[in-house]
Each structure stands twice: as structure tokens, then as C-alpha cells.
Amino acid sequence: MDALPLIAKFRAKIVCVMFQVLFCIVLFSGNAHGFYEKKGLNIEAYSMAELKAVIDEYRIQAKVINKQIQDVEKDLDWLVLKINRISDSGRKIPAQLKHSVALKEKKAVQLGKQKNRLETLVLGYEKAYAAKAEKMAPKKISNIKVNPIAAATTKVPDASMTQGKISDIELAVKKAGLEDWVEVLNADGGCAKINNTLPILFSSGSAVLAKEYQSFLKKLAYFLKSYDVKIYVNGFADPDPIHTPKYPSNLELGASRAANLVHEMVKYGLKPDIFKIGTTGEYRFAAKEPSQNKSFQRRAQLTVVFSG
């Protein structure tokens, strides 16, 4: 009788090792899949802000999956402990417990593959972001002859003033509690601009704004009241076709998503005439070769441009 628990433990250990080997194989296959997806990306089609947004989106998704993996591992530890106790007492292990372990292990493998793929994509996008930043950086020019008369009469924009204004806006953004949602950038013409870095997502076929975004839009609206700004709101859709009386196509769906953001911010005191709505439906994403995850394609993008 004493040999039975030992045999059961030995078998359990073998099964555990087999699943670990399988898990490693799946991880390496997931890494290859991510490489090919990254290799096919047309980086030139993305702006710096869009690349950063994609990186942040993938990081958030990887954190969510990592939390799910931890929860599954806790469940597995509990199940294995229970099976060992049953085995040590000499009782027969219920088939339902074995089935639960198998399901949890399968789920852990699937989540691990997804996490590995996302982390590979993040690395690829980060390298692309760094390469694009280096390419766009101004080059140093030496040995330039300057006409002192022309230099004295030509007005040159004061870069320190522009940078100072951006710094002031960055500080105000932090005070307003918006630093996790937006980033402050230098727009064309020396103006400052704000882009939302965390995605504003929608359910499939819907333009209804989720409650978790209302607090952010309220804070942003109150923050912008004291500034002279123009706000550009673009709405996007995934490639799934839609044909309803309300949304004949994804163009109308994308426009409705953008419009609902505008309505929410106008409700908190912003003037409607400072907004401009745009949409390309699903076609923007088809041109930019996005991730296969459609949930990130159903979104709206905010860009706030400060005057002067």
C-alpha cells in the first residue's frame, strides 16, 4: 500500500515535465509568429505618436495576460496540492480533478504563447520607434557662412519659448491627473499638441462610449477650458462589414464614435466649434497593417492643438 502514493507522485512528476516541455515548444513557435508579423509591418506608414500608441497598447495587453497566467498558476497549484493529498491518503483521484488540471495547463500554454508574441511585437515596435526617431532627428550642419546683416534683419522663431510653453503644458497635464492618458508633443509650426496614448475602445458594431472613459474626457474638457485649442477627433472601425439602418458602413460607424466623444466633452463646457471630426472606417488600418486583434482597431483618437 505504501508504494501507491509514491507511484502516483512519480507519474504526476512525469506529466508535469511533459507539459513544461510542451510549453517551451509553444513559446518558441509563438516567437516565430511574432517575428513574421513584425517583419511585414510598414513602419513608414506610422507617425511617431501612432507607433508609441501601438507600443503602449501591446504593453497593456501583455500585462493583462500576465495577470491571467498568474491566476491560472495559482489554480493549478491548488489543484495539484489537492491531488497529492488524495493520493497520499490512498484514495482514487477523481477524473474531474484530472480534467480540471488538463484544462488549466492548456490555458496556461495558450496564454503564454499570446504573452510571448506580444512581447516580441513590443520589442519590434520599440526598435522601429528608435530608428524613426534617429532618422527624424535634425542633423548638425557646420562651416556655414552667415551674412551678419541678413542675420540681424531676419526673424528666427525662439525655440526656447516653444519649449517653455510645452513644459508648462506638461506640468499642467500632470496637475490635472492626465499624464497616464495623454502625451504633450511639439506640433508643426512650433505649437504644442496633445495626443491620447491610452486607446479609447468600442465594442463591435457599437459607438457607445464606455463608462471608464467618461472620467478621462471630463478631466480633459475641464483642463482645456482655459486654453485656445483646436481638437481633432478621428473614429475607426475593424474590417468586419456592417450594414444596418443606423450604420450603412464602417465610415458612419467610425464617425459616430468620434461624434460621441465630442458630445461627451461639449457636455462639460467645451465649445462645439473647436472640434473637427474625421473617419476612414476600417481603411486606415488596412493600409497600416495592424495587429490581428480587432479590439484595438475599434477606437477613437484625440489630437489637441494649442494656438500660438
Side-chain angles (χ1 to χ4, degrees), residues 52 56 169-184 194-198 216 219-220 223:
K52 188 176 185 305
D56 290 341
I169 293 174
E170 286 176 337
L171 182 60
V173 163
K174 289 182 180 179
K175 287 183 178 180
L178 294 166
E179 69 273 17
D180 292 333
W181 281 91
V182 302
E183 64 176 347
V184 183
I194 283 178
N195 285 334
N196 65 295
T197 53
L198 289 182
F216 156 63
K219 281 184 182 179
L220 182 62
F223 167 71

Side-chain angles (χ1 to χ4, degrees), residues 37 57-58 61 117-118 199-206 236-242 250 253 257 281-282 284-286 290-300:
E37 183 172 355
E57 288 168 6
Y58 281 137
Q61 195 175 2
R117 172 179 164 274
L118 286 168
I200 300 173
L201 306 179
F202 294 84
S203 299
S204 179
S206 171
F236 305 104
D238 62 34
D240 292 343
I242 186 170
N250 277 320
L253 177 58
R257 286 169 174 168
E282 76 273 25
R284 169 185 182 273
F285 287 96
S291 163
Q292 295 299 315
N293 192 330
K294 293 180 181 178
S295 63
F296 285 115
Q297 301 176 27
R298 302 188 291 265
R299 71 177 189 177

Side-chain angles (χ1 to χ4, degrees), residues 64-80:
V64 172
I65 292 176
N66 188 57
K67 179 63 170 59
Q68 293 175 347
I69 291 174
Q70 292 175 355
D71 292 340
V72 171
E73 288 175 346
K74 288 179 182 178
D75 292 342
L76 268 173
D77 289 342
W78 182 84
L79 286 169
V80 170

Side-chain angles (χ1 to χ4, degrees), residues 276-292:
K276 183 177 180 180
I277 290 175
T279 180
T280 55
E282 76 273 25
Y283 301 111
R284 169 185 182 273
F285 287 96
K288 292 180 180 295
E289 301 179 38
S291 163
Q292 295 299 315

Side-chain angles (χ1 to χ4, degrees), residues 116-273:
N116 182 262
R117 172 179 164 274
L118 286 168
E119 289 176 344
T120 302
L121 287 172
V122 167
L123 289 174
Y125 276 100
E126 286 177 337
K127 288 181 181 178
Y129 184 90
K132 198 174 184 73
E134 184 178 357
K135 185 177 179 181
M136 294 176 66
K139 296 181 180 179
K140 294 182 179 179
I141 302 175
S142 58
N143 300 325
I144 298 178
K145 294 182 179 180
V146 180
N147 186 334
I149 297 177
T153 56
T154 303
K155 292 183 179 180
V156 180
D158 191 344
S160 64
M161 290 179 63
T162 301
Q163 189 59 43
K165 183 172 183 179
I166 291 176
S167 299
D168 291 342
I169 293 174
E170 286 176 337
L171 182 60
V173 163
K174 289 182 180 179
K175 287 183 178 180
L178 294 166
E179 69 273 17
D180 292 333
W181 281 91
V182 302
E183 64 176 347
V184 183
L185 302 168
N186 187 4
D188 295 335
C191 298
K193 73 175 182 179
I194 283 178
N195 285 334
N196 65 295
T197 53
L198 289 182
I200 300 173
L201 306 179
F202 294 84
S203 299
S204 179
S206 171
V208 176
L209 189 65
K211 291 182 180 179
E212 53 262 35
Y213 301 118
Q214 293 174 359
S215 175
F216 156 63
L217 294 173
K218 181 179 180 179
K219 281 184 182 179
L220 182 62
Y222 286 154
F223 167 71
L224 294 174
K225 277 185 180 181
S226 58
Y227 293 95
D228 182 12
V229 297
K230 293 291 183 183
I231 305 176
Y232 301 88
V233 187
N234 290 309
F236 305 104
D238 62 34
D240 292 343
I242 186 170
H243 303 288
T244 66
K246 191 174 183 179
Y247 306 121
S249 74
N250 277 320
L251 289 172
E252 288 80 7
L253 177 58
S256 183
R257 286 169 174 168
N260 283 347
L261 258 72
V262 173
H263 290 315
E264 187 69 19
M265 297 182 75
V266 167
K267 186 170 70 176
Y268 297 114
L270 293 182
K271 297 179 180 179
D273 59 2

